[in-house]
């Protein structure tokens, strides 16, 4: 602001001096009318008044400059940037993942194992024994069919023809009721199976 006032006053001073010089030159030559002389005199006085004001302002400016020279110089203050650069945070240490516990399977109770099935029982075997003469002790197992009984009696020697014996018991309708057990039979050598069939369907000694 002081520099602007100083420059303005200096310019107006130069202009006033130029105008005064021009008026003086015109008066000296005598080529200016009285009316214009009065106007020039008025402007001269006005310029003179401004010149005095400018000198006063100039004096004030010098006084202020002198006082400013006596003030101590301000210390340099480090300017803090308005927008400091972003600070990069230090890298965080790598995190070690916690081991995932492996679930322990519950103890498994072995399923009860069934005992192995017993070995199949072999089919009962019929037995016989010769007692002397024509007497033979024969054992017939339970569950045998008429055909099995006929073959067993033939093997024991009680009968000679198993097929003829089967045909006989079927003709009498007793093939399903032949009894099992132990009995002493007499050898049938004449093809008459009536006594033998009566023993197999009647009173037998069972053990």
């Amino acid at each position: 602001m002081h520099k602007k006032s100083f420059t303005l006053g200096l310019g107006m001073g130069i202009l006033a001096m130029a105008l005064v010089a021009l008026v003086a030159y015109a008066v000296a030559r005598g080529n200016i009318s009285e009316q214009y002389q009065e106007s020039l005199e008025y402007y001269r006085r006005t310029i003179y008044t401004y010149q005095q004001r400018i000198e006063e302002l100039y004096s004030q400016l010098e006084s202020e400059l002198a006082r400013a020279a006596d003030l101590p110089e301000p210390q340099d203050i480090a300017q803090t940037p308005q927008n400091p650069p972003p600070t990069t945070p230090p890298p965080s240490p790598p995190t070690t993942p916690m081991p995932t516990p492996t679930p322990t399977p519950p103890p498994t109770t072995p399923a009860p194992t069934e005992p192995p099935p017993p070995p199949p029982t072999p089919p009962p075997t019929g037995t016989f024994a010769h007692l002397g003469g024509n007497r033979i002790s024969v054992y017939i197992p339970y569950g045998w069919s008429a055909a099995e009984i006929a073959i067993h009696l033939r093997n024991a020697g009680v009968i000679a023809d198993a097929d003829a014996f089967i045909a006989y018991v079927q003709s009498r309708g007793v093939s399903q009721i032949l009894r099992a057990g132990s009995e002493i039979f007499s050898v049938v050598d004449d093809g008459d199976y009536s006594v033998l069939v009566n023993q197999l369907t009647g009173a037998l000694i069972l053990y």
Side-chain angles (χ1 to χ4, degrees):
M1 180 177 179
H2 296 313
K3 291 182 179 181
K4 184 177 181 181
S5 300
F6 174 74
T7 305
L8 180 60
L10 180 60
M12 292 185 67
I14 295 173
L15 180 61
M17 291 176 65
L19 184 58
V20 170
L22 180 61
V23 171
Y25 176 75
V27 172
R29 290 180 61 90
N31 57 354
I32 187 170
S33 64
E34 182 178 355
Q35 183 180 0
Y36 284 113
Q37 287 181 4
E38 291 178 0
S39 299
L40 290 174
E41 182 64 24
Y42 171 75
Y43 286 120
R44 186 187 64 80
R45 287 195 301 268
T46 302
I47 292 172
Y48 179 74
T49 301
Y50 279 111
Q51 186 178 5
Q52 287 182 344
R53 179 57 181 163
I54 291 171
E55 290 178 356
E56 291 177 0
L57 293 174
Y58 183 74
S59 298
Q60 292 179 3
L61 177 60
E62 289 182 345
S63 299
E64 291 180 2
L65 292 175
R67 287 196 301 269
D70 295 336
L71 295 176
E73 296 182 358
Q75 298 180 356
D76 295 336
I77 301 175
Q79 296 182 357
T80 304
Q82 296 181 357
N83 297 323
T87 57
T88 303
S92 57
T95 58
T96 303
M98 296 295 293
T100 303
T102 302
T104 303
T108 57
T109 304
T113 56
E114 296 181 359
T121 303
T125 304
T127 59
F128 58 88
H130 292 271
L131 302 179
N134 63 347
R135 302 179 63 197
I136 302 172
S137 176
V138 179
Y139 170 72
I140 300 174
Y142 291 93
W144 274 16
S145 64
E148 291 174 321
I149 294 174
I151 294 172
H152 184 49
L153 292 175
R154 184 197 60 189
N155 295 336
V158 177
I159 60 178
D161 190 350
D163 295 333
F165 177 78
I166 295 173
Y168 180 80
V169 295
Q170 289 178 349
S171 64
R172 293 188 56 180
V174 294
S175 59
Q176 301 295 328
I177 60 174
L178 298 179
R179 307 293 298 272
S182 296
E183 180 63 24
I184 298 174
F185 299 103
S186 297
V187 176
V188 177
D189 53 4
D190 55 358
D192 185 6
Y193 303 114
S194 57
V195 176
L196 176 60
V197 170
N198 287 337
Q199 285 184 286
L200 290 173
T201 60
L204 297 178
I205 301 174
L206 302 178
Y207 295 92

